[in-house]
Amino acid sequence: MEGEDGSESQQSRHPAGTLDPATQKRHAAMIDRLANLHQSRLQQSAARSASSAASPAFESVAAFLTRFDESGRAVEAEIKRCRDLSVDPASAPSLKPELEKVAASIADLDRLVAENSYFLPTYEVRSSLKAISVLKEALDAANSELLPRKKFSFRNKTSKKDPICLVKEIEEEKGPSSDKRVLAAVRDSPGFRNKEGSILIKHFRVSEEEEGDFTLSGLNCCEIYLKGRLRALFIHRLTNCRVYAGPVLGSILIEEVNDCLLMLASHQIRIHHATATDFYLQVRSRPIIEDCSAVRFAPYRLFYEGIDTELRDCGLGEETRNWANVDDFKWLRAVQSPNWSLIPDEELLGTVNVSDVKEQCEDK
Amino acid sequence: MGLLSIIRKIKKKEKEMRILMVGLDNSGKTTIVLKINGEDTSVISPTLGFNIKTIKYQKYSLNIWDVGGQKTIRSYWRNYFEQTDGLVWVVDSSDVRRLDDCRLELENLLKEERLAGASLLVFANKQDIQGALKPEDIVKVLNLDSMDKTRHWQIAGCSAYTGEGLLEGFDWLVQDIASRIYVLD
Ligand SMILES: Nc1nc2c(ncn2[C@@H]2O[C@H](COP(=O)(O)OP(=O)(O)OP(=O)(O)O)[C@@H](O)[C@H]2O)c(=O)[nH]1
Ligand SMILES: [Mg+2]
């Protein structure tokens, strides 16, 4: 590697003398550019290795795991050494700096995972974090057993109030006026709330600057149609509902839905506490589920006049196939989560055409 | 050379600040970090573990830890408390329903002894959304005025979507930390 550094050695490898002057010139210019590029790469990689030698990007799961294991074992050994050290009173003064070094090593393990997490599978990230967590607990335990008790800081004393008292105080200090304002704000935010057996239709026809959020909450046995673009959508406590919605520029947050069908398009979709629900999605990043069971996924199949343009304007025009790349935050293992599945072809809905659905038939 | 000896060679650089970004999931932490770093924000997944970014800001080097806020992984937050100079609490100002959750999580965080000295910047994010609560409202709902008087804190309305307010917020945070830590130069 070192031998390739200089531009001279590169130039000498080219038989430049046999070419016409114009070609020679272009050739020289190209070699110059390459040399510059090479030089800047070298500088970059030197800078990189100086600033993050502790966490090189391995880009290979096996190499990462080997390094992670080695480092993790080294930390364990260090903690053990500190414990051995503490037996001898003469080495007591060196104990604190030693333990601090262990803390630094653990912090670097954190960094190692963080900087490699972009290519690591979910499972490896989670299990590495778990391992680090265990090491931190071991260090905490060693700290509190081996070091003389730290003096409490002034601030700590003032905050050592009975937590129950603290909560009470906060509630009292919250004047009724502030409460009302917040509640008013809750009511004001646009949405369909607390309905049963209704058909709910909303068409957003606003300019980009006026885009807002919308909430669906406390709905039972309803059919909901949202046409047009939105910036954020909140869905909360739906039972036995069907929701067909146009593109959402930001994110959709879904909590506590059950026995529903949701057809949604958005940059991000987060699903918490859902059961027995089918999701037909178009989504730019990976959808995530947390505390869900029997949820199923399929691609978005909604149509109304203008939806293609709306999708494109929201950056949702391309099929990413991310509807099938669900991350389950409650499933630590590398094997498929039992909480979700894909909807089998024979059960898939065809395109749902909602062109004829108009706002005036609300609450039919 | 073993990893540990390599690690020890990397001394904490001068003028480095460690910033911890936390808040409920979906509040916009990752978007904020990428935006101030001038990176593409069009495809961001919910954060599964955490991301670290080192950003040059004025004459300081900010070491920003952006930790995922999904419920399952909030218990990992405490792994990142050590040596935090600045705490950024990000709020989705349009997610009114979860503001209670948001307040409780923040209260828990501020009880943490290891974060006692950290400056606190609260970002009332997503101000671009019609109907989002204003920063003044967020102060009330989160009860920020009744915080421990020794805490340095600031609220800043922002939109990670448009970028508005982000620099003002970080300016305050960096100045506040600098005035405490690098007061001698
Ligand atoms: N309208 C609007 N949307 C935003 C803003 N900031 C973030 N978002 C959207 O909110 C969603 C969540 O953003 P993230 O940055 O992933 O949130 P996070 O806090 O990192 O979430 P976790 O990693 O799960 O903790 C994304 O879809 C963003 O596009 C904003 O200022 N305005
Ligand atoms: Mg994130």
Side-chain angles (χ1 to χ4, degrees):
Chain A
M1 285 275 272
E2 251 95 306
E4 291 175 12
D5 266 3
S7 48
E8 293 102 324
S9 68
Q10 285 188 9
Q11 251 160 349
S12 68
R13 263 183 264 128
H14 296 278
T18 60
L19 300 168
D20 67 79
T23 316
Q24 254 185 51
K25 211 166 156 192
R26 259 184 302 155
H27 206 117
M30 183 190 74
I31 285 168
D32 247 24
R33 275 206 311 276
L34 283 178
N36 283 339
L37 190 68
H38 184 59
Q39 204 55 42
S40 70
R41 280 209 189 110
L42 280 178
Q43 274 161 8
Q44 270 172 17
S45 80
R48 225 179 308 145
S49 57
S51 70
S52 61
S55 31
F58 300 102
E59 311 231 356
S60 131
V61 178
F64 166 82
L65 287 178
T66 311
R67 172 63 74 87
F68 184 84
D69 266 3
E70 275 169 19
S71 319
R73 271 202 302 276
V75 170
E76 273 174 356
E78 293 243 314
I79 296 177
K80 181 164 185 310
R81 207 167 53 78
C82 288
R83 288 187 172 278
D84 294 345
L85 215 62
S86 71
V87 180
D88 174 12
S91 56
S94 65
L95 204 53
K96 192 159 187 278
E98 285 299 323
L99 285 166
E100 275 163 7
K101 270 189 227 158
V102 178
S105 309
I106 296 181
D108 285 306
L109 267 182
D110 263 340
R111 189 180 292 265
L112 187 75
V113 180
E115 289 179 4
N116 288 283
S117 61
Y118 69 92
F119 73 86
L120 289 175
T122 322
Y123 168 66
E124 267 73 25
V125 174
R126 292 283 295 279
S127 51
S128 305
L129 287 178
K130 259 252 153 73
I132 292 175
S133 198
V134 169
L135 289 175
K136 281 183 179 165
E137 271 157 29
L139 176 65
D140 280 351
N143 268 325
S144 61
E145 283 167 42
L146 306 183
L147 293 179
R149 200 73 190 102
K150 241 198 292 178
K151 271 186 283 174
F152 280 118
S153 66
F154 169 66
R155 191 196 161 267
N156 198 53
K157 267 185 220 146
T158 61
S159 65
K160 268 279 144 71
K161 277 184 200 163
D162 179 354
I164 296 165
C165 284
L166 204 71
V167 171
K168 249 200 214 129
E169 258 174 42
I170 286 165
E171 273 162 7
E172 277 160 17
E173 279 170 36
K174 236 187 354 189
S177 62
S178 76
D179 262 353
K180 250 190 225 127
R181 269 191 76 180
V182 172
L183 283 178
V186 177
R187 263 189 241 106
D188 282 345
S189 103
F192 293 135
R193 293 182 171 80
N194 307 321
K195 298 233 157 91
E196 205 164 327
S198 314
I199 296 179
L200 307 166
I201 302 156
K202 180 90 188 164
H203 197 158
F204 305 96
R205 291 184 192 83
V206 290
S207 67
E208 198 181 327
E209 302 78 63
E210 287 166 345
E211 275 169 13
D213 59 325
F214 200 78
T215 298
L216 304 177
S217 169
L219 306 178
N220 188 12
C221 300
C222 293
E223 245 174 67
I224 301 109
Y225 300 90
L226 305 176
K227 295 206 231 173
R229 302 168 40 161
L230 270 174
R231 209 159 264 199
L233 176 61
F234 297 101
I235 298 178
H236 176 228
R237 289 225 178 116
L238 262 53
T239 313
N240 221 322
C241 290
R242 290 174 166 244
V243 178
Y244 305 94
V248 177
L249 184 61
S251 64
I252 302 180
L253 182 65
I254 302 161
E255 297 198 323
E256 298 175 54
V257 300
N258 122 43
D259 283 318
C260 292
L261 184 155
L262 308 180
M263 194 170 276
L264 308 165
S266 180
H267 275 219
Q268 276 192 5
I269 297 180
R270 298 158 190 257
I271 305 163
H272 305 153
H273 297 280
T275 54
T277 291
D278 284 351
F279 294 89
Y280 287 79
L281 305 180
Q282 167 74 320
V283 53
R284 282 199 73 151
S285 59
R286 300 165 69 98
I288 66 139
I289 61 172
E290 193 173 62
D291 303 302
C292 291
S293 63
V295 290
R296 306 193 303 172
F297 294 85
Y300 191 67
R301 296 268 172 81
L302 190 64
F303 181 79
Y304 55 81
E305 193 85 36
I307 191 172
D308 286 339
T309 325
E310 285 175 8
L311 282 166
R312 230 176 303 118
D313 290 349
C314 288
L316 291 163
E318 277 165 54
E319 169 57 273
T320 58
R321 284 198 59 88
N322 269 337
W323 54 270
N325 298 325
V326 180
D327 278 333
D328 184 351
F329 272 57
K330 272 284 153 94
W331 188 250
L332 278 155
R333 317 223 235 124
V335 294
Q336 164 70 32
S337 154
N339 299 320
W340 68 273
S341 60
L342 302 181
I343 300 179
D345 284 348
E346 63 274 17
E347 287 181 48
L348 277 180
L349 286 187
T351 298
V352 178
N353 189 337
V354 297
S355 298
D356 296 334
V357 178
K358 297 272 153 51
E359 262 169 315
Q360 47 265 39
C361 37
E362 195 172 333
D363 284 321
K364 221 185 325 199
Chain B
M1 191 162 35
L3 176 68
L4 292 176
S5 47
I6 301 172
I7 289 168
R8 290 203 187 99
K9 279 196 177 161
I10 309 155
K11 284 267 162 57
K12 196 176 152 116
K13 282 178 232 91
E14 266 198 319
K15 307 270 190 195
E16 200 179 79
M17 293 179 180
R18 185 175 153 124
I19 312 249
L20 178 65
M21 308 258 309
V22 273
L24 298 192
D25 51 291
N26 197 40
S27 55
K29 300 176 290 295
T30 307
T31 315
I32 288 177
V33 175
L34 295 183
K35 191 80 182 182
I36 60 165
N37 204 29
E39 287 176 65
D40 177 33
T41 56
S42 63
V43 186
I44 296 175
S45 288
T47 308
L48 190 70
F50 53 96
N51 306 300
I52 303 177
K53 277 260 152 30
T54 303
I55 296 179
K56 287 265 170 270
Y57 198 88
Q58 300 162 2
K59 54 185 172 168
Y60 303 100
S61 163
L62 307 188
N63 220 313
I64 303 185
W65 294 66
D66 157 31
V67 189
Q70 290 288 144
K71 209 176 221 142
T72 316
I73 54 179
R74 286 182 207 160
S75 56
Y76 292 122
W77 285 356
R78 55 188 204 84
N79 291 355
Y80 308 94
F81 292 164
E82 224 65 64
Q83 292 169 7
T84 295
D85 301 308
L87 192 62
V88 181
W89 181 259
V90 183
V91 182
D92 176 348
S93 313
S94 67
D95 188 0
V96 181
R97 191 178 64 79
R98 294 202 303 168
L99 280 176
D100 251 355
D101 261 1
C102 178
R103 177 175 52 85
L104 292 174
E105 292 287 2
L106 178 61
E107 276 170 15
N108 277 335
L109 199 69
L110 296 180
K111 282 183 201 145
E112 185 58 48
E113 197 190 331
R114 285 175 292 169
L115 295 174
S119 312
L120 170 68
L121 170 66
V122 178
F123 264 137
N125 191 31
K126 308 204 185 180
Q127 290 298 319
D128 61 287
I129 295 183
Q130 277 259 311
L133 290 191
K134 297 279 163 277
E136 311 86 81
D137 298 323
I138 299 291
V139 169
K140 291 208 184 88
V141 190
L142 298 186
N143 236 315
L144 298 179
D145 283 323
S146 62
M147 211 170 353
D148 194 319
K149 294 291 175 270
T150 56
R151 171 84 60 188
H152 293 202
W153 69 276
Q154 177 76 36
I155 180 108
C158 72
S159 162
Y161 180 67
T162 64
E164 228 160 308
L166 295 180
L167 292 182
E168 287 86 342
F170 273 93
D171 278 348
W172 174 82
L173 186 66
V174 168
Q175 286 317 316
D176 191 73
I177 296 170
S179 66
R180 287 188 293 111
I181 301 183
Y182 302 115
V183 71
L184 295 177
D185 55 42

